[in-house]
Structures are given as C-alpha cells and as structure tokens.
Amino acid sequence: DADVTQTPRNRITKTGKRIMLECSQTKGHDRMYWYRQDPGLGLRLIYYSFDVKDINKGEISDGYSVSRQAQAKFSLSLESAIPNQTALYFCATSQTGAANQPQHFGDGTRLSIL
Amino acid sequence: RKEVEQDPGPFNVPEGATVAFNCTYSNSASQSFFWYRQDCRKEPKLLMSVYSSGNEDGRFTAQLNRASQYISLLIRDSKLSDSATYLCVVNTRAAGNKLTFGGGTRVLVKP
C-alpha cells in the first residue's frame, strides 16, 4: 500500500462545482502539503500544515481551502472550480526536524475543469 | 527572477554517456538541497540530497556551490531508465522550511 494516498486519482468536473481532494498518510509525519503542477511551471505550494492545529497559505492559495482533520489526513477544496485550476495536484508529507527532511509525495490527482 | 531555475532541456543523451546539468537558486539563505526525479505523469521521488562537500550515489553525483548559488547533477553511464525529468529542490528555513521546486530538466537517454 502507498504511504501517501490521494483520492480521487482523476476527476473531470464543470466550472462552479465544489471539489474536494483528499490525502491520507501512514508515514506518521507531522507535516503535510498540497501542490499543483502545471507544464513548465514546476510544483507550486498551495497550502501546508505543520500539525493538526497549524494551517498556512502557500504561494498560490487563492481559490483553495484546506482542512487538517487529523494528523494523517489533509484535504484540499476548490469551493467554486474554474478552468485555470485544471492541473495535476500532489499531496506530500515530511517529518518535523532538521531542514534536510525530504518530502514524500502521493500519486497525484489529475483534475480537469470544463 | 524565479527562486530556483533549471534548463528545461531536453538533454538527449546516448546510452552509456555522461550528462550533467545545473540548477541556480536566488536565496543565499537556502540551507538544504535535493534532486528529485519525476517520470511522466507520476509523482516526484527523492533521488538524493545534496551535501556541501558533494556526494555520490552510484552513477549519480551531486555538487553544491554556495558561492555561485548553484547545484549540479551528473549522471554517468546513462541508462535508458534514467530518462525522466529531474527537479532541483531548495529548502529555506527562513521561509518556514518550505521546499521550492525548479521547473525541472528533462533527460532523454537513447539507444
């Protein structure tokens, strides 16, 4: 089983719909992240959480919200989806500690907004 | 200027050859550096951390040049399976230990 699991893997929906992407992890990590990836732009951070009571905006948080329901769960919501939110979304986790802790990624969610 | 910049490539490499490419970063306070590998439509996976003195992992060698603010990755004896996009990743503690990703360098190893 994957250590970082994202659901759904693929989603096609219409403009204006509310969408939730879910992420769960079995690694026991405190820190969780949501990124989006667009061709040529690399990964950009949407939101991150260093523990259950800690939520922080990343560089592109507008149009998104998150919920850290438990240490192992971090969900991303698009309240009213728009076409330019079409992208590949990744959840990641890392352990609290020194700055050289790498991040571990889920398989990604491919989201298309029509 | 992007915080982390990479040549997007592609670098077309004959099988068995050596390829090297760099990544530059703009924040001099950056503390940790990584190379991730990403296959098409897949998640990024950690390839190796980059240490100040340089480090090697099999056919892969990473170097850090703090004075010029770049890191490099060298792949020796390239295999077809090395074809992927290589992401340069930088951690800056002053930015809350968040990772900043470069756009990736695409490498295509051909027979």
Side-chain angles (χ1 to χ4, degrees):
Chain A
D1 287 341
D3 293 325
V4 184
T5 302
Q6 291 183 232
T7 56
R9 293 292 310 278
N10 293 280
R11 178 80 184 270
I12 301 173
T13 192
K14 294 181 179 180
T15 297
K17 294 291 187 181
R18 183 178 187 273
I19 301 158
M20 180 180 286
L21 309 184
E22 302 197 18
C23 177
S24 62
Q25 52 119 344
T26 59
K27 300 186 76 68
H29 289 169
D30 293 324
R31 300 181 173 189
M32 297 187 75
Y33 310 80
W34 275 105
Y35 293 89
R36 67 178 278 175
Q37 187 173 33
D38 299 274
L41 293 180
L43 276 80
R44 292 182 292 165
L45 184 63
I46 305 172
Y47 271 95
Y48 62 103
S49 169
F50 283 176
D51 65 43
V52 175
K53 296 180 181 179
D54 176 79
I55 301 289
N56 303 281
K57 292 183 178 180
E59 60 182 298
I60 54 162
S61 58
D62 287 348
Y64 301 94
S65 62
V66 291
S67 174
R68 184 83 183 265
Q69 301 96 323
Q71 187 205 33
K73 295 184 183 294
F74 191 37
S75 60
L76 175 72
S77 294
L78 288 69
E79 296 301 326
S80 180
I82 55 177
N84 74 3
Q85 291 177 312
T86 293
L88 182 56
Y89 289 83
F90 287 107
C91 173
T93 73
S94 70
Q95 186 59 282
T96 300
N100 62 350
Q101 294 295 323
Q103 292 185 5
H104 303 266
F105 287 81
D107 290 341
T109 295
R110 189 165 298 277
L111 181 60
S112 297
I113 314 295
L114 304 179
Chain B
R1 181 186 173 190
K2 291 183 180 177
E3 287 189 54
V4 180
E5 293 201 70
Q6 295 183 248
D7 183 337
F11 284 63
N12 294 300
V13 185
E15 191 176 9
T18 295
V19 61
F21 42 89
N22 294 339
C23 159
T24 59
Y25 60 95
S26 61
N27 191 333
S28 59
S30 298
Q31 293 182 288
S32 303
F33 308 89
F34 309 90
W35 283 105
Y36 279 71
R37 171 197 169 122
Q38 185 174 27
D39 294 296
C40 188
R41 304 168 79 90
K42 299 284 190 179
E43 78 276 18
K45 293 184 178 178
L46 180 66
L47 179 66
M48 58 195 303
S49 300
V50 185
Y51 301 118
S52 297
S53 56
N55 49 297
E56 193 173 297
D57 183 359
R59 298 180 292 107
F60 297 84
T61 301
Q63 297 278 353
L64 167 63
N65 186 316
R66 285 193 183 274
S68 300
Q69 294 184 202
Y70 73 86
I71 66 172
S72 63
L73 182 67
L74 181 145
I75 307 173
R76 287 186 304 278
D77 187 23
S78 297
K79 311 292 184 190
L80 298 177
S81 58
D82 294 334
S83 296
T85 297
Y86 292 85
L87 305 176
C88 171
V89 185
V90 174
N91 178 308
T92 306
R93 177 166 285 183
N97 272 336
K98 298 191 304 293
L99 299 185
T100 302
F101 288 77
T105 295
R106 190 169 174 216
V107 172
L108 296 174
V109 181
K110 300 186 175 181

Short mmCIF file of all heavy atoms in Angstrom, two decimals, chain A residues 73-95:
data_model
loop_
_atom_site.label_atom_id
_atom_site.label_comp_id
_atom_site.label_asym_id
_atom_site.label_seq_id
_atom_site.Cartn_x
_atom_site.Cartn_y
_atom_site.Cartn_z
N LYS A 73 -4.58 13.09 7.85
CA LYS A 73 -5.49 13.48 6.77
C LYS A 73 -5.43 14.99 6.52
O LYS A 73 -5.52 15.79 7.46
CB LYS A 73 -6.92 13.08 7.11
CG LYS A 73 -7.12 11.58 7.19
CD LYS A 73 -8.58 11.24 7.42
CE LYS A 73 -8.78 9.74 7.58
NZ LYS A 73 -8.48 9.01 6.34
N PHE A 74 -5.33 15.32 5.23
CA PHE A 74 -5.25 16.72 4.84
C PHE A 74 -5.99 16.86 3.52
O PHE A 74 -5.58 16.28 2.52
CB PHE A 74 -3.77 17.10 4.69
CG PHE A 74 -3.46 18.57 4.55
CD1 PHE A 74 -4.18 19.53 5.25
CD2 PHE A 74 -2.42 18.99 3.74
CE1 PHE A 74 -3.87 20.88 5.15
CE2 PHE A 74 -2.09 20.34 3.63
CZ PHE A 74 -2.83 21.28 4.33
N SER A 75 -7.11 17.59 3.52
CA SER A 75 -7.91 17.68 2.31
C SER A 75 -7.83 19.08 1.71
O SER A 75 -7.68 20.07 2.44
CB SER A 75 -9.36 17.30 2.60
OG SER A 75 -9.90 18.16 3.57
N LEU A 76 -7.97 19.12 0.42
CA LEU A 76 -7.93 20.39 -0.34
C LEU A 76 -9.27 20.58 -1.02
O LEU A 76 -9.78 19.65 -1.65
CB LEU A 76 -6.82 20.31 -1.40
CG LEU A 76 -6.71 21.50 -2.36
CD1 LEU A 76 -6.15 22.72 -1.63
CD2 LEU A 76 -5.80 21.15 -3.54
N SER A 77 -9.85 21.78 -0.88
CA SER A 77 -11.14 22.06 -1.50
C SER A 77 -11.03 23.21 -2.48
O SER A 77 -10.32 24.19 -2.24
CB SER A 77 -12.18 22.42 -0.44
OG SER A 77 -12.45 21.31 0.39
N LEU A 78 -11.76 23.05 -3.58
CA LEU A 78 -11.97 24.14 -4.52
C LEU A 78 -13.45 24.50 -4.36
O LEU A 78 -14.32 23.70 -4.73
CB LEU A 78 -11.68 23.70 -5.95
CG LEU A 78 -10.22 23.46 -6.35
CD1 LEU A 78 -9.62 22.23 -5.66
CD2 LEU A 78 -10.11 23.32 -7.86
N GLU A 79 -13.72 25.65 -3.79
CA GLU A 79 -15.12 25.99 -3.46
C GLU A 79 -15.96 26.20 -4.70
O GLU A 79 -17.12 25.80 -4.74
CB GLU A 79 -15.14 27.24 -2.59
CG GLU A 79 -14.46 27.05 -1.23
CD GLU A 79 -15.11 25.94 -0.40
OE1 GLU A 79 -16.34 25.77 -0.49
OE2 GLU A 79 -14.38 25.25 0.33
N SER A 80 -15.36 26.82 -5.71
CA SER A 80 -16.07 27.06 -6.97
C SER A 80 -15.04 26.95 -8.09
O SER A 80 -14.35 27.92 -8.41
CB SER A 80 -16.73 28.44 -6.96
OG SER A 80 -17.42 28.67 -8.18
N ALA A 81 -14.95 25.77 -8.63
CA ALA A 81 -13.86 25.48 -9.57
C ALA A 81 -13.93 26.33 -10.83
O ALA A 81 -15.02 26.64 -11.34
CB ALA A 81 -13.89 24.00 -9.95
N ILE A 82 -12.74 26.70 -11.32
CA ILE A 82 -12.64 27.45 -12.57
C ILE A 82 -11.62 26.75 -13.47
O ILE A 82 -10.74 26.03 -12.98
CB ILE A 82 -12.23 28.92 -12.33
CG1 ILE A 82 -10.92 28.99 -11.52
CG2 ILE A 82 -13.34 29.69 -11.63
CD1 ILE A 82 -10.41 30.41 -11.31
N PRO A 83 -11.74 26.96 -14.79
CA PRO A 83 -10.87 26.20 -15.71
C PRO A 83 -9.37 26.34 -15.46
O PRO A 83 -8.63 25.39 -15.69
CB PRO A 83 -11.28 26.76 -17.09
CG PRO A 83 -12.72 27.13 -16.93
CD PRO A 83 -12.80 27.70 -15.52
N ASN A 84 -8.91 27.51 -14.98
CA ASN A 84 -7.46 27.62 -14.79
C ASN A 84 -6.95 26.89 -13.55
O ASN A 84 -5.75 26.94 -13.23
CB ASN A 84 -6.98 29.08 -14.82
CG ASN A 84 -7.31 29.86 -13.58
OD1 ASN A 84 -7.88 29.33 -12.62
ND2 ASN A 84 -6.94 31.13 -13.57
N GLN A 85 -7.86 26.19 -12.87
CA GLN A 85 -7.45 25.28 -11.79
C GLN A 85 -7.22 23.86 -12.31
O GLN A 85 -6.93 22.95 -11.54
CB GLN A 85 -8.47 25.28 -10.65
CG GLN A 85 -8.48 26.62 -9.91
CD GLN A 85 -9.53 26.67 -8.82
OE1 GLN A 85 -10.70 26.32 -9.04
NE2 GLN A 85 -9.13 27.12 -7.63
N THR A 86 -7.37 23.70 -13.59
CA THR A 86 -7.03 22.42 -14.21
C THR A 86 -5.53 22.21 -14.07
O THR A 86 -4.73 23.03 -14.50
CB THR A 86 -7.41 22.42 -15.70
OG1 THR A 86 -8.83 22.48 -15.81
CG2 THR A 86 -6.89 21.19 -16.41
N ALA A 87 -5.15 21.10 -13.43
CA ALA A 87 -3.74 20.85 -13.15
C ALA A 87 -3.60 19.47 -12.54
O ALA A 87 -4.58 18.76 -12.30
CB ALA A 87 -3.17 21.90 -12.17
N LEU A 88 -2.36 19.11 -12.28
CA LEU A 88 -2.03 17.89 -11.54
C LEU A 88 -1.74 18.31 -10.10
O LEU A 88 -0.90 19.18 -9.87
CB LEU A 88 -0.82 17.21 -12.18
CG LEU A 88 -0.31 15.90 -11.61
CD1 LEU A 88 -1.40 14.85 -11.57
CD2 LEU A 88 0.88 15.41 -12.42
N TYR A 89 -2.44 17.73 -9.16
CA TYR A 89 -2.31 18.11 -7.75
C TYR A 89 -1.60 16.99 -6.98
O TYR A 89 -1.94 15.81 -7.11
CB TYR A 89 -3.69 18.36 -7.13
CG TYR A 89 -4.33 19.63 -7.64
CD1 TYR A 89 -5.02 19.64 -8.86
CD2 TYR A 89 -4.22 20.82 -6.93
CE1 TYR A 89 -5.58 20.81 -9.35
CE2 TYR A 89 -4.80 21.99 -7.41
CZ TYR A 89 -5.48 21.98 -8.62
OH TYR A 89 -6.03 23.13 -9.09
N PHE A 90 -0.64 17.41 -6.16
CA PHE A 90 0.09 16.46 -5.33
C PHE A 90 -0.02 16.82 -3.87
O PHE A 90 0.10 17.98 -3.49
CB PHE A 90 1.58 16.44 -5.70
CG PHE A 90 1.89 15.77 -7.00
CD1 PHE A 90 2.26 16.52 -8.10
CD2 PHE A 90 1.84 14.39 -7.11
CE1 PHE A 90 2.55 15.91 -9.31
CE2 PHE A 90 2.14 13.77 -8.32
CZ PHE A 90 2.48 14.53 -9.41
N CYS A 91 -0.19 15.80 -3.06
CA CYS A 91 -0.07 15.90 -1.62
C CYS A 91 1.30 15.37 -1.23
O CYS A 91 1.81 14.43 -1.88
CB CYS A 91 -1.17 15.07 -0.96
SG CYS A 91 -1.05 14.92 0.83
N ALA A 92 1.91 15.95 -0.22
CA ALA A 92 3.21 15.47 0.24
C ALA A 92 3.27 15.53 1.75
O ALA A 92 2.51 16.27 2.39
CB ALA A 92 4.35 16.30 -0.38
N THR A 93 4.18 14.75 2.32
CA THR A 93 4.38 14.76 3.77
C THR A 93 5.87 14.85 4.06
O THR A 93 6.71 14.49 3.22
CB THR A 93 3.85 13.48 4.43
OG1 THR A 93 4.71 12.37 4.12
CG2 THR A 93 2.44 13.15 3.96
N SER A 94 6.19 15.33 5.24
CA SER A 94 7.58 15.29 5.71
C SER A 94 7.58 15.23 7.22
O SER A 94 6.59 15.56 7.88
CB SER A 94 8.39 16.49 5.21
OG SER A 94 7.96 17.68 5.84
N GLN A 95 8.71 14.81 7.74
CA GLN A 95 8.85 14.69 9.18
C GLN A 95 9.35 16.01 9.75
O GLN A 95 10.16 16.69 9.11
CB GLN A 95 9.85 13.57 9.50
CG GLN A 95 9.98 13.25 10.96
CD GLN A 95 8.67 12.82 11.58
OE1 GLN A 95 7.81 13.64 11.88
NE2 GLN A 95 8.49 11.52 11.75
#
